[in-house]
Amino acid sequence: MPRGGKKGHKGRGKQFSNPEEIDRQMKAQRELEENPGAEKEGASDSEEESSSDEESEFRKRSGVEGLIEIENPNRVSQKNKKVSELDVNAPKELSRREREEIEKQKSKERFRKLQLEGKTDQARADLARLAIIKKQREDAAKKREELRKEKEAEEAKAKR
């Protein structure tokens, strides 16, 4: 670390002029060399007009944007809207996540409705399984009923 407490920062503080500014300065200098007395008034008028144009351009583009033309299609510039321009009744655009969430809910609701109607493969399989189980339970109930009747008949014979 160098003595003296000051650190050198390479690249800090460099300022570059844009080509239009250099051309304007060179043009103004040539005009002053050709007509030193008469052009001071005319140059100041034209300089004021051009400076006001440049100021508006400079206000629009500050920093590095003034030096480099940016053509990034993904870059979205902030646009301020006035209150009078806002439309409160306009439909709000949903984000991708919100749209996907709504679609997901709708598809679940549709699937549930089809399930209740028995139109999906899963619902058909469930209904078939239920029918088999009902039939097995009915058969088991009949067998229990027959066994109960046989026991009652045997008990009635044993009592006599």
Side-chain angles (χ1 to χ4, degrees):
M1 186 169 168
R3 293 185 183 188
K6 292 188 178 181
K7 299 177 187 175
H9 293 284
K10 291 185 178 181
R12 180 183 280 183
K14 290 184 181 178
Q15 293 181 339
F16 299 97
S17 301
N18 58 356
E20 293 102 11
E21 181 70 21
I22 295 171
D23 291 340
R24 189 183 61 76
Q25 289 175 353
M26 290 177 66
K27 188 176 180 182
Q29 190 175 5
R30 281 190 208 129
E31 290 175 1
L32 286 174
E33 289 175 359
E34 291 174 306
N35 300 326
E39 286 295 321
K40 286 184 180 177
E41 297 170 8
S44 64
D45 292 340
S46 64
E47 205 169 292
E48 288 173 1
E49 292 172 2
S50 64
S51 66
S52 65
D53 293 339
E54 289 177 13
E55 285 176 14
S56 64
E57 282 183 28
F58 188 71
R59 287 183 199 143
K60 290 178 187 172
R61 296 190 251 162
S62 61
V64 181
E65 293 180 9
L67 300 174
I68 302 169
E69 286 294 324
I70 299 173
E71 293 191 25
N72 185 354
N74 297 327
R75 184 175 182 270
V76 179
S77 60
Q78 293 285 339
K79 295 181 181 177
N80 295 332
K81 292 185 177 181
K82 296 180 182 177
V83 177
S84 60
E85 292 176 357
L86 289 176
D87 188 11
V88 180
N89 297 331
K92 181 186 164 197
E93 292 185 23
L94 300 174
S95 68
R96 178 184 57 84
R97 287 184 181 171
E98 291 171 339
R99 278 194 312 261
E100 287 176 356
E101 186 66 28
I102 291 171
E103 288 174 12
K104 193 175 180 182
Q105 289 174 354
K106 285 182 180 178
S107 66
K108 280 184 180 179
E109 187 65 29
R110 229 180 292 120
F111 183 76
R112 194 172 63 80
K113 189 176 181 183
L114 289 174
Q115 283 282 88
L116 291 174
E117 293 174 2
K119 293 185 178 179
T120 62
D121 293 335
Q122 187 178 358
R124 288 185 195 121
D126 290 344
L127 291 174
R129 215 175 308 122
L130 283 173
I132 292 170
I133 291 171
K134 279 183 183 178
K135 190 171 184 180
Q136 288 174 349
R137 286 182 181 168
E138 286 175 4
D139 292 342
K142 285 180 184 177
K143 285 182 182 178
R144 280 193 304 261
E145 188 68 29
E146 290 174 7
L147 287 173
R148 189 176 55 84
K149 286 182 182 178
E150 287 177 11
K151 273 188 180 180
E152 288 178 2
E154 288 178 12
E155 288 177 8
K157 286 182 183 178
K159 284 184 181 178
R160 290 187 188 173

